[in-house]
């Protein structure tokens, strides 16, 4: 990894380099994504099956595109019992955490006959995209499906790319069944997003699409927004470790690599006030990277977006942390909880040397679908609120409306909207022209 002295200039250059990974920067893919979506909208199943054959080398028909109960039962037989047990334990933690986010409708009634409130309604149908390709992610199934279930969504549709044999990874199927998915389709890429957004003969449309994917998936979600709602346009994974001289360099190095192995565009950054720690972490990163199974991906990721930044003060380091606004942030410092109070921008904050990032990916309970590419400055992790709608409730009696009706009439007239004013006036024997 590059060890760089943190200055305003190096900070600016690093931020610009990180932003290159945003899906918004890959416009050369946009035209192809639009072509795929248009084909799916016009030709439905035929387009979906053709693109699946082209990109995933799998032959699909109306009879085979949907995962059957028999295929799910077979997945349970193929998956080790220990893995099923771990999935079930993780579900308990994830559900428990998200149940604390559940909202209830509320109403506020006043003696004069005024009733105001908010009605909470689950979204009727949600599509969950689960990646395939370089890695399969049962954990992504749990993190996207469980908050939807807690919110009360009735129809949860999962799409995921099949292998060339037309099968879906058994861990993904078991996780889907355990989490409460109602339908599973063997479709991936932009064509899957198009099917969920527009509907096909085999795949009915949904109201919202969530879940991460490759650049085609990210751009397709962006393109269909408006036809359906989406969670976000996710970029590549990233981790930032803030450490001082008290940190364990082996732990810090292992944690940086835990995200760098996702893909070549993943970002791994250490910010520290200790030159000695920086050198030790760099050595440990090289040692681990040489022996881990995804060595090729790790090397490219670190070459492109791996940094060790040496800060003069902890205040400078924290300012940079807030500027980068990383998806995952680990605090390996003395008084880490005090440091946490100064963090303004991060998707998830992991505090202390035994709170490594994979704990959040798989098991602790908080959602691992997090804002990337600096969007933690204004976006939040996926949560139960993403799967509900809120309706305002307004009810006034005549007695409540009477003392304020002239105020409303005057306000409407000030905007030149006389029909608005008249709607109030007629209730008190008046007319506005």
């Amino acid at each position: 990894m590059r060890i760089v002295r943190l200055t305003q200039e190096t900070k600016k250059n690093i931020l610009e380099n990180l932003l290159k990974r945003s899906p918004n920067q890959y416009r050369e893919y946009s035209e192809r994504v639009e072509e795929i979506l248009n084909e799916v909208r016009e030709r439905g199943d035929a387009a979906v099956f053709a693109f699946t054959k082209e990109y995933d080398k799998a032959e699909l028909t109306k009879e085979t595109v949907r995962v059957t109960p028999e295929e799910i039962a077979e997945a349970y037989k193929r998956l080790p019992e220990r893995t099923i047990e771990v999935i079930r334990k993780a579900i308990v933690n994830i559900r428990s955490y998200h149940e604390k986010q559940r909202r209830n409708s509320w109403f506020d009634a006043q003696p004069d006959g005024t009733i105001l409130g908010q009605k909470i309604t689950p979204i009727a149908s949600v599509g969950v995209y689960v990646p395939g390709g370089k890695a399969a992610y049962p954990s992504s199934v749990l993190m996207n499906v469980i908050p939807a279930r807690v919110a009360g969504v009735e129809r949860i549709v999962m799409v995921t790319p099949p292998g060339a044999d037309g099968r879906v990874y058994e861990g993904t199927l078991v996780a889907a069944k355990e989490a409460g998915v109602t339908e599973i389709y063997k479709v991936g890429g932009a064509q899957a997003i198009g099917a969920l957004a527009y509907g096909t003969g085999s795949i009915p449309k949904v109201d919202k699409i969530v879940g991460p994917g490759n650049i085609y998936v990210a751009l397709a979600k962006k393109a269909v927004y408006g036809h359906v709602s989406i969670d976000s346009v996710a970029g590549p994974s990233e981790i930032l470790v803030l450490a001082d001289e008290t940190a364990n360099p082996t732990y810090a190095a292992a944690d940086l690599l835990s995200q760098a192995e996702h893909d070549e565009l993943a970002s791994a950054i250490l910010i520290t006030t200790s030159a000695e720690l920086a050198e030790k972490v760099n050595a440990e990163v090289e040692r681990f990277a040489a022996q881990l199974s995804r060595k090729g991906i790790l090397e490219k990721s670190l070459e492109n977006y791996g940094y060790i930044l040496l800060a003069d003060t902890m205040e400078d380091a924290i300012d940079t942390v807030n500027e980068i606004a990383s998806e995952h942030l680990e605090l390996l410092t003395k008084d880490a909880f005090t440091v946490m109070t100064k963090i303004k921008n991060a998707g998830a904050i992991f505090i202390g040397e035994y709170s490594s990032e994979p704990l959040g990916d798989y098991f602790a309970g908080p959602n691992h679908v997090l804002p990337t590419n600096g969007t933690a400055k204004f976006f939040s992790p996926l949560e139960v609120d993403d799967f509900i709608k809120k309706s305002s409730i307004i009810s006034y009696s005549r007695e409540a409306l009477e003392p304020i009706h002239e105020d409303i009439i005057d306000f409407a007239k000030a905007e030149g909207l006389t029909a608005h004013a008249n709607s109030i006036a007629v209730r008190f024997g008046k007319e506005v022209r």
Side-chain angles (χ1 to χ4, degrees), residues 14-32:
I14 290 168
L15 288 170
E16 289 177 353
N17 191 37
L18 293 176
L19 287 174
K20 292 177 183 176
R21 306 173 312 129
S22 168
N24 294 322
Q25 302 300 319
Y26 290 80
R27 294 177 182 172
E28 67 268 27
Y29 295 95
S30 296
E31 184 175 343
R32 182 55 178 155

Side-chain angles (χ1 to χ4, degrees), residues 138-164:
S139 61
S140 185
V141 178
L142 305 185
M143 293 295 182
N144 283 276
V145 172
I146 290 173
R149 293 292 297 173
V150 170
V153 177
E154 290 188 3
R155 179 172 173 256
I156 302 176
V157 181
M158 189 180 88
V159 292
T160 190

Side-chain angles (χ1 to χ4, degrees), residues 2-19 269-272 304 306-312 316-317 320 323-324:
R2 287 156 288 187
I3 300 178
V4 180
R5 175 64 63 179
L6 181 60
T7 66
Q8 287 300 318
E9 185 64 22
T10 58
K11 183 197 299 186
K12 177 176 179 289
N13 292 338
I14 290 168
L15 288 170
E16 289 177 353
N17 191 37
L18 293 176
L19 287 174
I269 299 173
L270 168 69
I271 302 180
T272 182
N304 293 327
Y307 297 94
I308 296 177
L309 304 180
L310 267 175
D312 291 330
D316 289 343
T320 304
E323 280 294 307
I324 293 174

